[in-house]
Amino acid sequence: MKKKFLEIITIVGLLFTLLPFGTANAANSKTSSSDQSLAKIQKKGVLVMGTSPDYAPYEFQTTKNGKSVDVGMDISIAKQIAKDLGVKLKIKNMDFDSLLVALQTGKVDMVMAGMNPTAARRKNVTFSNIYYQGGQDIVINKKDAGIYKSKKSFVGKTLGAQTGTMQYNMAKKQISNVTVKGFDKGADLILALQTNKIDGIVMEKPSAEAYVKNNPQLSLINGNFNLNTNETSSAIAFQKGATSLAGAVNKSLAKIKKKDLINKVYLKEAGTHMKTNTVNTSMTHYWKYFAKGIGYTLLISAFSVFFGFILGTILAFMRLSRNKLLKLVSTAYIEFVRGTPLMVQIMFVYFGIGLIVNLPALTSGIIAVSLNSGAYVAEVIRGGINSVDKGQTEAARSLGLSKKGTMRYVVLPQAIKNIWPALGNEFISLIKESSIVSIIGVTDLIYQLKIVQSDTYRGVAPIVVAMLLYFVVTFGLSKILAYFEGRMKHAN
Ligand code: ARG
């Protein structure tokens, strides 16, 4: 009873130590009247832009000399802005719904992603002037053209929209009795539509036009949504109060508008990229994307298994020790980590810890996955050690072997045989589970799969390729592990 109580106290204590991360954010977004945002960028010499390149013609990816590059009108505008500010442009890619969090936690200096400066967003960030007017449409399967005429036709039906977007909220609000499903990427939405998971997609007009132009099975209807200017236009988001930066950017935007660069140059360029994108959509053409993805997946898993093993060993011995405090800390850690989803832990490390030290996405991913794996490995090791019969320890001790010696020469060699296969399983599940790091923009296999989807406008083929690659890697690994397991048995 007392033990349980202590355990609860430790967990509550742990939660309270984590709490300041949440409040630090609120303090961060309040900037003083003497705004340093512009001076800071000029001093750094780089302007970091956050975006989600799944939104042609605003931002999307194309292949140049075997490398994926970000293109689109937002990118062209951002390049001009950086040039005007006399700094370099750095682009950070992530899911759309992570962008404003990244902005508020200082991962990026501005967000440019075809973002509508809605009233709700204006409360939390500072927007530039409007640089483009789009409008909202609904994409449907061509075969359904007779059924769906406007937003009214979707009463009681299912619509799709990108998660965290204004379109998602708008569809919910303006159509009665409609189900709105959220997806992360444009390509997922198209796939859902074509496989009849949803009846239509609410999409910004230029994007909708891009998809329809590239896919003869789709067509477009005017949504007839009630919209104010904010909801049909795009603006650039900055941290709340970053007025000097926003002011300098507005000057660039005014220049761009005056020369009508968006319509005359940027959108035309985007159009040519979209054409070259769909010339060769065979999966072999994209092998480099997949190779890069699997490389990162293996890298993250290997590092995480290594660090997870060290951490797990320490935690296991702490939990097995007689020292109450060590035992308690280790138990609390293990329970806490196993009781929260890896996805939340990854976001916490990247965005939460990121408030204190600004870690790159890959490092954050490795740290989060290692911390997570440590808890599971600890239990594997503890289980392995506990599985060695007590009589063994007693016999060794009575023969005069020290406590350390007993552990080292008697218990551990036997425990290893139980630990090894379980550890192998842990490695294999890490390879699969590490796929969640894609949400913070680590270019692992899942991330690359989504890029190939939006690049080729093909839904299923990239999934099949990724699935096969995961299988080949995990199956190969389990064969290798089994080989060593067999050798260990013979050594018996
Ligand atoms: N305009 C919509 C919004 O602000 C969606 C933008 C999505 N952008 C993207 N790059 N995926 O909510």
Side-chain angles (χ1 to χ4, degrees):
M1 192 59 200
K2 206 175 139 208
K3 230 177 92 190
K4 262 267 140 13
F5 180 70
L6 269 175
E7 214 168 88
I8 291 170
I9 293 282
T10 326
I11 290 178
V12 171
L14 207 76
L15 282 177
F16 268 98
T17 34
L18 298 182
L19 215 61
F21 290 117
T23 43
N25 186 13
N28 236 14
S29 47
K30 274 195 211 93
T31 24
S32 59
S33 50
S34 59
D35 165 49
Q36 293 296 313
S37 52
L38 179 61
K40 236 175 75 191
I41 304 292
Q42 281 166 337
K43 203 172 147 217
K44 262 198 312 184
V46 253
L47 177 67
V48 184
M49 156 184 176
T51 193
S52 171
D54 53 8
Y55 212 56
Y58 293 83
E59 48 265 322
F60 54 107
Q61 298 201 312
T62 189
T63 334
K64 244 187 219 154
N65 310 325
K67 267 204 186 137
S68 59
V69 281
D70 303 303
V71 292
M73 73 176 205
D74 281 355
I75 312 285
S76 309
I77 297 172
K79 280 187 180 153
Q80 185 58 45
I81 290 171
K83 203 169 151 197
D84 291 345
L85 293 180
V87 295
K88 276 209 189 96
L89 179 72
K90 193 177 160 199
I91 299 171
K92 269 197 191 172
N93 294 331
M94 58 194 92
D95 282 349
F96 183 77
D97 50 357
S98 294
L99 285 169
L100 289 185
V101 189
L103 182 65
Q104 276 162 345
T105 53
K107 298 273 168 205
V108 298
D109 305 313
M110 67 175 198
V111 168
M112 202 174 180
M115 183 174 275
N116 308 120
T118 58
R121 286 176 181 151
R122 280 190 191 279
K123 282 197 188 121
N124 297 304
V125 297
T126 292
F127 276 106
S128 71
N129 293 338
I130 284 162
Y131 63 83
Y132 190 75
Q133 294 271 358
Q136 312 294 348
D137 281 339
I138 300 176
V139 178
I140 56 170
N141 285 315
K142 197 171 244 164
K143 63 174 172 43
D144 296 337
I147 311 175
Y148 303 117
K149 297 287 179 210
S150 81
K151 70 171 177 186
K152 293 210 184 76
S153 329
F154 290 91
V155 175
K157 302 275 178 188
T158 306
L159 278 173
Q162 205 173 17
T163 318
T165 60
M166 174 263 166
Q167 284 82 6
Y168 182 94
N169 297 327
M170 182 179 70
K172 271 207 161 149
K173 242 187 247 155
Q174 296 197 17
I175 305 171
S176 61
N177 203 12
V178 71
T179 310
V180 186
K181 284 198 180 156
F183 292 82
D184 278 344
K185 300 275 170 203
D188 297 340
L189 282 165
I190 299 290
L191 190 57
L193 178 66
Q194 291 194 301
T195 51
N196 302 310
K197 306 266 187 305
I198 51 179
D199 305 308
I201 310 168
V202 191
M203 229 186 230
E204 208 126 10
K205 188 186 236 78
S207 246
E209 281 168 353
Y211 277 110
V212 171
K213 213 192 250 164
N214 278 289
N215 194 328
Q217 281 149 7
L218 303 175
S219 76
L220 193 73
I221 56 173
N222 183 339
N224 295 115
F225 291 99
N226 308 322
L227 300 161
N228 62 34
T229 340
N230 278 338
E231 292 159 342
T232 52
S233 51
S234 319
I236 309 173
F238 305 94
Q239 271 193 356
K240 185 108 190 150
T243 41
S244 57
L245 180 58
V249 168
N250 280 337
K251 271 194 205 135
S252 272
L253 290 178
K255 222 173 79 183
I256 291 170
K257 204 176 235 168
K258 204 166 155 213
K259 294 190 197 156
D260 200 16
L261 287 179
I262 296 183
N263 292 313
K264 283 205 182 117
V265 185
Y266 301 159
L267 276 174
K268 286 208 178 109
E269 277 171 8
T272 48
H273 285 308
M274 277 153 72
K275 263 188 222 119
T276 52
N277 258 8
T278 40
V279 167
N280 189 342
T281 60
S282 83
M283 287 301 111
T284 42
H285 182 71
Y286 282 87
W287 74 270
K288 275 194 182 146
Y289 282 68
F290 290 109
K292 178 173 170 193
I294 200 85
Y296 272 100
T297 292
L298 286 175
L299 182 85
I300 296 164
S301 315
F303 269 106
S304 305
V305 156
F306 178 74
F307 292 124
F309 179 71
I310 296 175
L311 177 66
T313 311
I314 297 171
L315 285 170
F317 280 100
M318 279 169 70
R319 200 168 180 178
L320 287 169
S321 98
R322 290 235 186 85
N323 182 322
K324 281 229 173 72
L325 184 68
L326 290 182
K327 205 183 179 112
L328 199 74
V329 170
S330 159
T331 309
Y333 179 88
I334 292 169
E335 294 302 332
F336 187 76
V337 169
R338 293 203 306 177
T340 48
L342 177 57
M343 183 177 191
V344 181
Q345 294 164 3
I346 288 173
M347 294 202 285
F348 178 76
V349 171
Y350 187 56
F351 295 120
I353 312 270
L355 282 175
I356 301 165
V357 263
N358 200 351
L359 297 168
L362 179 63
T363 322
S364 304
I366 291 177
I367 293 177
V369 179
S370 306
L371 289 176
N372 176 279
S373 175
Y376 290 90
V377 171
E379 287 301 275
V380 164
I381 294 179
R382 190 175 69 108
I385 291 176
N386 279 342
S387 72
V388 177
D389 194 68
K390 272 225 173 66
Q392 303 264 340
T393 314
E394 282 158 14
R397 294 298 308 249
S398 65
L399 285 173
L401 220 62
S402 70
K403 227 170 138 188
K404 257 199 195 141
T406 308
M407 189 44 101
R408 180 147 173 218
Y409 300 111
V410 180
V411 178
L412 278 185
Q414 300 185 65
I416 292 278
K417 274 184 211 139
N418 294 323
I419 294 172
W420 180 260
L423 216 53
N425 284 339
E426 172 65 17
F427 194 4
I428 287 170
S429 41
L430 263 192
I431 291 178
K432 292 178 289 174
E433 271 158 31
S434 67
S435 60
I436 303 178
V437 296
S438 62
I439 56 165
I440 55 170
V442 177
T443 47
D444 80 323
L445 187 49
I446 293 292
Y447 186 92
Q448 296 294 87
L449 142 73
K450 290 189 174 161
I451 295 286
V452 176
Q453 279 183 325
S454 39
D455 222 39
T456 56
Y457 300 90
R458 289 180 71 178
V460 189
I463 300 179
V464 174
V465 174
M467 204 152 96
L468 287 175
L469 284 174
Y470 272 117
F471 179 71
V472 167
V473 170
T474 53
F475 188 70
L477 188 68
S478 82
K479 283 276 160 260
I480 295 172
L481 290 166
Y483 170 77
F484 283 108
E485 202 182 321
R487 292 214 14 185
M488 234 183 265
K489 283 217 180 86
H490 291 307
N492 209 348

